[in-house]
């Protein structure tokens, strides 16, 4: 019996609560709505570009490293709790390990090794993701503004409005624009902004980059899956930031060319000047 008169010992209480905690953990793990195909991605969307799996593998590798460290730490904690509790050893004060140079050196070396390995893979993959070619198959100048996007097709960071082979599309917060891209063809995005910092994020491309006034950022992708995918601004940029959305539609090469032809037929040939949207009603 415990000192307060109850026959509920702490050990018995822990035995009763352990199944409840395990059941709760099982419910949390199975109630996320994820299918068996979603589970290996660990919360990331399906990649739809040639570069996307690189980000996914880095994400999965980081989780594996974290789980290995976590299981090791949990194991040591549980082992200490079970085999070094006072009721088992009858020792009032266990052996102390302070000033143990080998253990302290191990505590220092292991985190350095873990961080160094993660840094190496992050730096390697980042250099690949931000690498651009001198002559991609297509250029798209992306102009961010409060609070929507303009897409200048077949133009660089200094679009030429007189270029009759190019075309453009401008969205509004009320009507999100759709960015058309040809499948299996390299597209280089040249990102510019006319006002504040935005962030261009086609979600399933597994890649996003800041759109900074006065600075041209760029990255390349090669879409590998047909379909329409969501995009958004990932940088808080003002009152209508949440409405700064766009769609990305991956189509065949012929459909891409036909879309540009339709834009030019509507009078949207040439380009919106980089960083200037020219929306009707704006001054």
């Amino acid at each position: 019996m415990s000192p307060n008169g109850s026959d509920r010992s702490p050990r018995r209480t822990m035995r009763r609560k352990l199944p409840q905690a395990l059941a709760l953990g099982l419910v949390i793990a199975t109630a996320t709505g994820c299918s068996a195909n979603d589970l290996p991605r660990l919360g990331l969307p399906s990649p739809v570009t040639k570069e996307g799996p690189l980000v996914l593998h880095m994400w999965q590798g980081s989780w594996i490293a974290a789980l290995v460290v976590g299981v090791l730490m949990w194991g040591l904690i549980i082992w200490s709790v079970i085999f070094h509790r006072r009721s088992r050893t009858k020792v009032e004060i266990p052996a102390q390990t302070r000033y143990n140079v080998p253990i302290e050196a191990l505590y220092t070396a292991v985190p350095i090794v873990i961080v160094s390995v993660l840094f190496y893979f992050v730096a390697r993959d980042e250099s690949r993701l931000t690498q651009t070619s001198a002559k991609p198959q297509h250029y798209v100048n992306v102009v961010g503004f409060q609070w929507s996007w303009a897409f200048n097709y077949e133009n660089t960071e200094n679009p030429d409005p007189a270029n009759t082979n190019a075309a453009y599309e401008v969205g509004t917060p009320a009507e999100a624009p759709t960015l058309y891209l040809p499948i299996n063809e390299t597209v280089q995005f040249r990102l510019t902004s006319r006002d504040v910092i935005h962030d261009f994020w086609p979600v399933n491309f597994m890649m996003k980059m800041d759109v900074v006034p006065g600075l041209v950022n760029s990255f390349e992708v090669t879409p590998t899956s047909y379909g329409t995918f969501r995009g958004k601004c990932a940088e808080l940029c003002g009152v209508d930031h949440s409405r700064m959305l766009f769609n990305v539609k991956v189509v065949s090469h012929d459909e891409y060319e036909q879309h540009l032809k339709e834009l030019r037929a509507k009078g949207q040939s040439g380009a919106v000047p980089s960083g200037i949207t020219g929306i009707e009603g704006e001054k």
Side-chain angles (χ1 to χ4, degrees):
M1 182 175 292
S2 61
N4 60 8
S6 173
D7 61 351
R8 290 187 179 180
S9 66
R11 189 179 304 172
R12 183 174 299 177
T13 302
M14 185 176 68
R15 288 200 194 114
R16 290 182 178 179
K17 290 185 176 180
L18 183 60
Q20 299 174 4
L22 293 176
L24 179 61
L26 182 62
V27 169
I28 293 174
T30 58
T32 58
C34 296
S35 66
N37 294 329
D38 296 331
L39 187 59
R41 296 198 304 274
L42 300 169
L44 286 187
S46 300
V48 296
T49 64
K50 186 176 72 174
E51 299 78 13
L54 194 65
V55 179
L56 179 60
H57 295 159
M58 183 65 200
W59 175 252
Q60 292 169 325
S62 299
W63 267 100
I64 291 171
L67 287 173
V68 169
V69 174
V71 168
L72 177 61
M73 293 299 101
W74 296 332
L76 290 173
I77 291 171
I78 294 172
W79 177 76
S80 299
V81 168
I82 293 175
F83 294 103
H84 290 276
R85 63 187 187 275
R86 188 171 62 182
S87 62
R88 177 185 177 89
T89 62
K90 308 301 182 183
V91 176
E92 187 72 22
I93 300 178
Q96 304 300 295
T97 57
R98 61 179 179 270
Y99 308 123
N100 188 311
V101 175
I103 292 181
E104 291 179 359
L106 181 66
Y107 290 164
T108 304
V110 170
I112 290 176
V113 171
I114 294 173
V115 171
S116 298
V117 171
L118 290 174
F119 177 82
Y120 165 76
F121 285 108
V122 169
R124 183 199 66 179
D125 292 350
E126 183 180 6
S127 66
R128 294 179 183 177
L129 290 168
T130 57
Q131 187 176 17
T132 57
S133 56
K135 292 184 178 180
Q137 292 173 276
H138 303 279
Y139 284 103
V140 177
N141 166 232
V142 178
V143 183
F145 59 92
Q146 293 176 312
W147 288 275
S148 194
W149 303 91
F151 303 123
N152 291 321
Y153 294 97
E154 308 306 330
N155 270 289
T156 61
E157 68 271 16
N158 295 311
D160 181 8
N163 184 354
T164 57
N165 293 322
Y168 68 87
E169 184 153 6
V170 180
T172 66
E175 186 174 352
T178 298
L179 171 63
Y180 278 69
L181 298 177
I183 195 167
N184 295 324
E185 297 183 18
T186 303
V187 179
Q188 184 176 127
F189 296 116
R190 310 285 285 182
L191 311 176
T192 61
S193 171
R194 76 165 195 178
D195 38 45
V196 300
I197 297 177
H198 304 283
D199 195 291
F200 180 66
W201 184 23
V203 178
N204 287 81
F205 284 18
M206 304 287 202
M207 183 67 179
K208 60 182 178 180
M209 187 171 284
D210 280 351
V211 186
V212 183
L215 179 67
V216 179
N217 287 331
S218 61
F219 69 94
E220 286 183 9
V221 296
T222 303
T224 56
S225 298
Y226 290 107
T228 302
F229 309 100
R230 295 178 299 110
K232 61 180 70 176
C233 176
E235 185 80 23
L236 183 59
C237 58
V239 65
D240 274 338
H241 160 72
S242 62
R243 301 175 66 195
M244 196 167 171
L245 308 173
F246 63 95
N247 297 307
V248 180
K249 190 168 185 177
V250 180
V251 297
S252 67
H253 177 84
D254 291 342
E255 288 177 288
Y256 173 76
E257 294 294 340
Q258 178 63 28
H259 179 66
L260 267 60
K261 183 178 179 181
E262 292 172 356
L263 291 176
R264 291 192 291 265
K266 292 191 297 183
Q268 294 173 222
S269 61
V272 171
S274 178
I276 301 174
T277 62
I279 295 179
E280 184 179 355
E282 286 201 344
K283 297 181 181 180

